[in-house]
């Protein structure tokens, strides 16, 4: 009996700090009829109430209203405190101006949101019972709130056919052209779906097991160096310009999800630079033909992005220009052998990532940091059998890719997902620059073929 009483008291004592702790997050629950205003987090791709962490000098209700404005552009007021759900304080809120939403789709305009293109993909008015649990970031929280819908005040909604009138003159002129293009091409165009892959960073990384034995480490390192600089310039331009994507203005154009701002098109720029460099190395005597083919691939990639509704035509043109400039600057890629070149890339990416709160920029900086740190290790990076090299590279990249895919499935915490992604990005750089070479050296040891093909030269 005394042992049982002791365990009960110990359990109660342990739980007291949790029960009495101040909330660390605050959310706004906003209702229109039987629908709640929910935002889709871009890290987990799931829906939840608008909210976030409480800053040190804020009251919970201030944090809830601040997060509402930052994520949706809506000003609101707190009507009632609904109580605690785990570590979050939930407030019944009402918007001070009508919610602008699209008829039929129930998408909510985010064009006035300060963090447009940031952590939130979109916002919608959704009835909780019509949202599958797999698409909920905090399933039990919405079930808990469903029983309290009657305590939420009604917020007014202004329904529109689209949000085109809120865009600039250039985008208003482009949207009718894009809609006609989508109708003319139709919904299922396999060659455009394939063309979209040419500018995909994931697809290009998947080719590394083939490219490393083909090009050798010096050239692959140069290519990675150039692509990271391109990613930095593209993402910094997106954050600085801050132009929306087509589906932000006309949700009916959205046949493919995309994150962040639109200008310039990173897929188009990446396709031109990646394939221009690769084909130029493979056909050094016919670089004019190589660059022409790379331009054709980039143009089809740009057409695919417009067809998918992910980019405006002007975004594609800007992406082509940026990719062409970096491709013309090939001699500068030789700075991949200089410490200053890597440190400048790392410092610029991490600094801009911190200033803009961009996970993309931070990820670029961490991959570059891993490549640079690992590249300082004294290991032999040539002469291994191509099949063995490709297999080891593939195994490591599959593990990292699986980790990135599993993270959102294992936790609903955006912070944990983000930190996990950063660790994996840094690990990718280390794997390519030192990890795989260390494993290859262990596999071959002193039996590595002496007559193996050396790494091809740099530019």
């Amino acid at each position: 009996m005394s042992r049982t009483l002791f365990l009960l008291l110990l359990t109660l004592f342990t739980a007291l700090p949790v029960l009495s702790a101040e909330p660390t997050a605050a959310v706004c629950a906003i209702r229109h009829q039987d629908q709640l205003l929910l935002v889709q987090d871009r890290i987990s791709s799931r829906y939840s109430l608008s909210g976030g962490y409480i800053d040190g000098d804020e009251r919970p209700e201030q944090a809830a209203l601040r997060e509402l404005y930052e994520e949706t552009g809506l000003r609101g007021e707190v009507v009632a405190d609904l109580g605690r759900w785990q570590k979050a304080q939930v407030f019944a809120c009402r918007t001070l101006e009508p919610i602008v939403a699209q008829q039929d789709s129930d998408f909510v305009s985010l064009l006035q949101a300060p963090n447009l293109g940031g952590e939130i993909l979109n916002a919608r008015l959704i009835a909780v019972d019509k949202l599958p649990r797999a698409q909920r970031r905090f399933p039990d929280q919405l079930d808990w709130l469903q029983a309290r819908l009657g305590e939420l005040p009604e917020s007014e909604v202004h329904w529109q056919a689209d949000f085109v009138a809120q865009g600039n003159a250039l985008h208003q002129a482009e949207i009718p052209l894009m809609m006609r293009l989508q109708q003319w091409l139709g919904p299922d165009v396999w060659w455009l779906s394939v063309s979209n892959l040419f500018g995909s960073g994931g697809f290009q990384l998947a080719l590394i097991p083939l490219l490393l034995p083909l090009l050798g480490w010096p050239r692959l390192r140069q290519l990675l160096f150039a692509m990271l600089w391109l990613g930095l310039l593209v993402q910094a331009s997106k954050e600085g310009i801050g132009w929306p994507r087509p589906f932000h203005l006309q949700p009916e154009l959205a046949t493919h999800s995309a994150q962040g701002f639109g200008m310039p098109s990173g897929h188009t720029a990446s396709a031109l630079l990646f394939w221009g460099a690769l084909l130029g190395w493979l056909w050094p005597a016919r670089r004019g033909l190589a660059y022409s083919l790379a331009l054709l691939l980039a143009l089809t990639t740009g057409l695919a992005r417009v067809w998918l509704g992910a980019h405006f035509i002007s975004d594609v043109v800007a992406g082509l220009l940026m990719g062409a400039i970096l491709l013309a600057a090939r001699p500068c890629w030789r700075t991949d052998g200089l410490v200053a070149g890597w440190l400048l890339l790392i410092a610029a990416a991490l600094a801009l990532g911190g200033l803009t709160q961009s996970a993309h920029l931070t990820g670029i900086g961490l991959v570059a940091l891993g490549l640079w740190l690992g590249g300082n290790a004294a290991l032999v990076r040539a002469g291994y059998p191509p099949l063995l090299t490709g297999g080891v590279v593939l195994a490591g990249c599959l593990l990292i890719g699986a980790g990135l895919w599993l993270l959102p499935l294992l936790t609903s915490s955006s912070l944990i997902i983000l930190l996990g992604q950063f660790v994996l990005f840094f690990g990718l750089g280390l794997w390519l620059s030192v990890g795989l070479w260390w494993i290859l050296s262990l596999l071959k040891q002193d039996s590595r073929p002496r007559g193996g093909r050396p790494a091809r030269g740099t530019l």
Side-chain angles (χ1 to χ4, degrees):
M1 179 67 181
S2 59
R3 183 177 179 181
T4 303
L5 181 61
F6 172 75
L7 290 175
L8 288 174
L9 290 174
L10 181 61
T11 302
L12 180 61
F13 178 77
T14 306
L16 279 176
V18 177
L19 295 174
S20 62
E22 293 295 322
T24 58
V27 299
C28 263
I30 291 177
R31 178 181 68 88
H32 173 71
Q33 297 179 358
D34 64 339
Q35 297 174 313
L36 288 174
L37 175 62
L38 301 178
V39 295
Q40 186 181 23
D41 173 68
R42 77 172 182 177
I43 296 176
S44 66
S45 295
R46 299 170 185 164
Y47 284 93
S48 65
L49 297 172
S50 175
Y53 289 105
I54 302 172
D55 291 340
D57 58 345
E58 284 184 316
R59 297 193 308 273
E61 55 269 30
Q62 291 176 321
L65 296 176
R66 172 183 55 78
E67 288 286 347
L68 174 68
Y69 175 67
E70 289 178 353
E71 295 179 349
T72 67
L74 293 167
R75 300 285 188 183
E77 62 178 353
V78 172
V79 176
D81 186 342
L82 297 178
R84 289 274 294 276
W85 186 85
Q86 295 185 358
K87 296 182 179 180
Q89 198 74 27
V90 183
F91 294 99
C93 301
R94 177 171 47 219
T95 59
L96 297 179
E97 67 269 359
I99 300 170
V100 179
Q102 187 191 35
Q103 296 169 347
D104 301 325
S105 71
D106 297 326
F107 279 106
V108 172
S109 173
L110 298 179
L111 293 174
Q112 303 304 316
N115 289 350
L116 176 67
E119 60 186 287
I120 300 302
L121 279 176
N122 64 62
R124 294 182 71 180
L125 291 166
I126 306 176
V128 173
D129 56 358
K130 295 181 180 179
L131 182 65
R133 291 183 68 84
Q135 296 181 24
R136 305 181 189 183
R137 187 176 169 196
F138 305 108
D140 294 336
Q141 184 188 63
L142 293 182
D143 290 338
W144 174 81
L145 187 61
Q146 177 76 357
R148 294 167 172 79
L149 282 183
E151 302 176 41
L152 304 183
E154 179 89 4
S155 289
E156 184 181 354
V157 174
H158 178 54
W159 298 101
Q160 293 184 352
D162 53 54
F163 313 130
V164 176
Q166 300 179 43
N168 60 41
L170 177 61
H171 290 164
Q172 290 183 35
E174 290 183 63
I175 283 179
L177 297 175
M178 294 177 62
M179 296 191 71
R180 284 198 291 269
L181 178 67
Q182 279 191 350
Q183 293 170 1
W184 178 62
L185 291 171
D188 299 313
V189 186
W190 69 267
W191 61 273
L192 282 177
S193 299
V194 172
S195 298
N196 185 54
L197 293 175
F198 295 147
S200 167
F203 177 71
Q204 292 164 358
L205 285 173
L207 293 178
I208 287 182
L210 296 176
L211 295 180
L212 183 54
L214 182 66
L215 300 177
W217 174 246
R219 278 184 172 173
L220 181 61
R221 183 185 61 197
Q222 281 192 355
L223 181 59
L224 292 171
F225 184 69
M227 295 300 293
L228 287 171
W229 269 111
L230 176 66
L232 169 63
L233 295 174
V234 166
Q235 196 60 37
S237 299
K238 288 177 182 287
E239 298 291 340
I241 297 172
W243 281 10
R245 291 183 182 269
F247 54 75
H248 287 138
L249 300 178
Q250 176 51 277
E252 291 180 6
L253 287 171
T255 61
H256 182 80
S257 63
Q259 300 175 355
F261 296 112
M263 169 69 80
S265 168
H267 272 66
T268 308
S270 175
L272 183 57
L273 181 62
F274 180 85
W275 296 106
L278 179 59
L279 296 174
W281 277 323
L282 296 178
W283 299 336
R286 307 182 68 181
R287 282 196 172 175
L289 176 61
Y291 292 159
S292 298
L293 182 56
L295 178 60
L296 178 61
L297 291 175
L299 286 171
T300 56
T301 300
L303 177 61
R305 300 302 285 173
V306 173
W307 169 68
L308 291 169
H311 280 293
F312 287 101
I313 300 170
S314 52
D315 300 342
V316 171
V317 173
L320 285 172
L321 180 61
M322 186 170 289
I325 291 173
L326 278 183
L327 187 58
R330 283 169 61 99
C332 298
W333 299 4
R334 295 192 184 98
T335 56
D336 76 303
L338 302 176
V339 173
W342 285 102
L343 291 182
L344 180 60
L345 171 61
I346 295 165
L350 294 180
L352 288 172
L355 288 173
T356 61
Q357 297 183 350
S358 168
H360 285 90
L361 287 169
T362 305
I364 289 170
L366 291 172
V367 172
L369 180 61
L371 285 169
W372 174 66
L373 288 176
N376 294 324
L379 290 171
V380 176
R381 294 179 173 85
Y384 298 102
L387 287 178
L388 179 63
T389 302
V392 173
V393 176
L394 179 61
C397 290
L398 285 177
L399 284 175
I400 294 173
L404 291 171
W405 176 73
L406 283 172
L407 271 173
L409 302 179
L410 297 176
T411 178
S412 59
S413 170
S414 296
L415 181 60
I416 294 176
I417 294 174
L418 199 59
L419 291 176
Q421 289 176 342
F422 288 162
V423 170
L424 291 172
F425 288 148
F426 179 65
L428 176 62
L430 284 178
W431 171 249
L432 293 175
S433 61
V434 66
L436 73 94
W437 304 109
W438 178 70
I439 291 179
L440 285 171
S441 67
L442 290 179
L443 291 175
K444 297 301 294 182
Q445 295 182 359
D446 294 335
S447 62
R448 181 169 56 88
R450 297 178 182 274
R453 184 179 63 179
R456 299 188 179 189
T458 56
L459 291 171

